[in-house]
Amino acid sequence: MATATRRATSLRPGQFKHLLRVASVTGRMPERDVMLLWVTHTTGVRVTELALLEVADVLYPSGAIRPEVYLRAEITKGCRARNIHLTHAKCIAAIEAWIAVRRERSWGISSEAEYRGLRPDSRLVMTHKGQAFELAFKHRMLDSGPEVYRACDALQQTITRLYKQAGVKGCSSHSGRRTLAARVLAATGDVDTVQAILGHQCLDHSKPYLTVDQETIRRAYELAL
């Protein structure tokens, strides 16, 4: 008998606020941790994609944050390039706070003035030691045969820890994507938009993310009837 796949929980607004409050006052790197939560909950980026983002992907040479970030094919799942959007004011503020920490600690610093003095090829996200997160080679079996891929287990564990320390149950590093998918679906009713945001080639891959809460269902009945 097949075992059902356990899906990451999506968060309610109050849970997310609590999660941010706890992350901001615990751990060795609260600025980085708060940034991780905002970016994963507002862009739909995968954790391994986030681990591979470089400073030049997120900043213009002038140092301004790019409103639209191009995820290169070589860092995305399935090698399918796409864009993510940094439009949420609090997400942008969290990135700014993290950049300030990096500059203060001289992590990935360049001798040039561009990119706010950071090395453009340095990873945006770093460990508490100021180093890039390492990726592990993984194996999985697909219908088409075995596949070898890379995943950032260490960053996944870091983000999962943030949920655990806040006491938010059933969450994992995928909860940000799942929460964003649910909110976009509730706001727009457009499954194609959700699919594009998540970077899925097939709609079937997006379906597990399309949770709709009871309040959304109730409003849908009211509008329809």
Side-chain angles (χ1 to χ4, degrees):
M1 182 176 178
T3 303
T5 301
R6 182 171 175 268
R7 303 293 181 185
T9 300
S10 59
L11 275 69
R12 299 185 299 275
Q15 288 178 309
F16 184 56
K17 289 179 181 178
H18 170 71
L19 177 66
L20 289 169
R21 283 196 298 268
V22 174
S24 68
V25 296
T26 57
R28 288 177 287 191
M29 304 197 62
E31 294 87 357
R32 181 205 62 187
D33 293 345
V34 168
M35 181 202 67
L36 292 175
L37 293 172
W38 273 115
V39 172
T40 54
H41 276 260
T42 62
T43 69
V45 69
R46 295 182 177 91
V47 172
T48 298
E49 295 167 345
L50 180 54
L52 291 171
L53 273 182
E54 297 177 353
V55 166
D57 295 322
V58 178
L59 298 184
Y60 289 114
S62 66
I65 294 177
R66 297 177 184 269
E68 188 170 326
V69 175
Y70 178 69
L71 300 182
R72 293 163 280 115
E74 60 265 30
I75 73 170
T76 62
K77 184 177 180 180
C79 295
R80 291 187 294 274
R82 72 182 192 284
N83 293 332
I84 60 173
H85 300 268
L86 299 174
T87 57
H88 196 291
K90 291 186 177 179
C91 179
I92 294 170
I95 295 173
E96 294 279 7
W98 168 238
I99 291 174
V101 169
R102 283 194 51 174
R103 287 169 51 85
E104 180 183 347
R105 300 189 183 190
S106 298
W107 286 350
I109 294 296
S110 167
S111 59
E112 304 295 329
E114 293 184 333
Y115 301 100
R116 304 197 200 182
L118 300 178
R119 289 203 329 269
D121 61 346
S122 65
R123 300 278 174 81
L124 174 68
V125 180
M126 291 183 162
T127 69
H128 67 279
K129 295 182 179 180
Q131 300 171 347
F133 278 90
E134 294 185 0
L135 272 64
F137 283 98
K138 314 278 282 187
H139 299 79
R140 61 186 167 200
M141 181 61 66
L142 304 176
D143 293 339
S144 56
E147 180 188 52
V148 178
Y149 66 101
R150 294 187 302 166
C152 191
D153 291 347
L155 186 54
Q156 290 175 353
Q157 292 166 6
T158 295
I159 295 176
T160 299
R161 172 182 55 78
L162 299 177
Y163 293 103
K164 288 182 177 179
Q165 71 185 16
V168 185
K169 297 180 179 180
C171 293
S172 74
S173 58
H174 287 284
S175 290
R177 280 166 59 80
R178 192 174 181 86
T179 301
L180 179 63
R183 290 181 179 177
V184 171
L185 181 64
T188 68
D190 190 342
V191 177
D192 291 335
T193 298
V194 174
Q195 181 181 347
I197 288 173
L198 296 180
H200 288 154
Q201 185 176 30
C202 176
L203 180 59
D204 286 343
H205 296 161
S206 298
K207 287 180 179 178
Y209 292 83
L210 303 182
T211 55
V212 182
D213 60 33
Q214 292 302 310
E215 178 61 21
T216 300
I217 293 173
R218 184 186 64 79
R219 288 199 303 268
Y221 270 104
E222 291 176 352
L223 290 172
L225 302 177

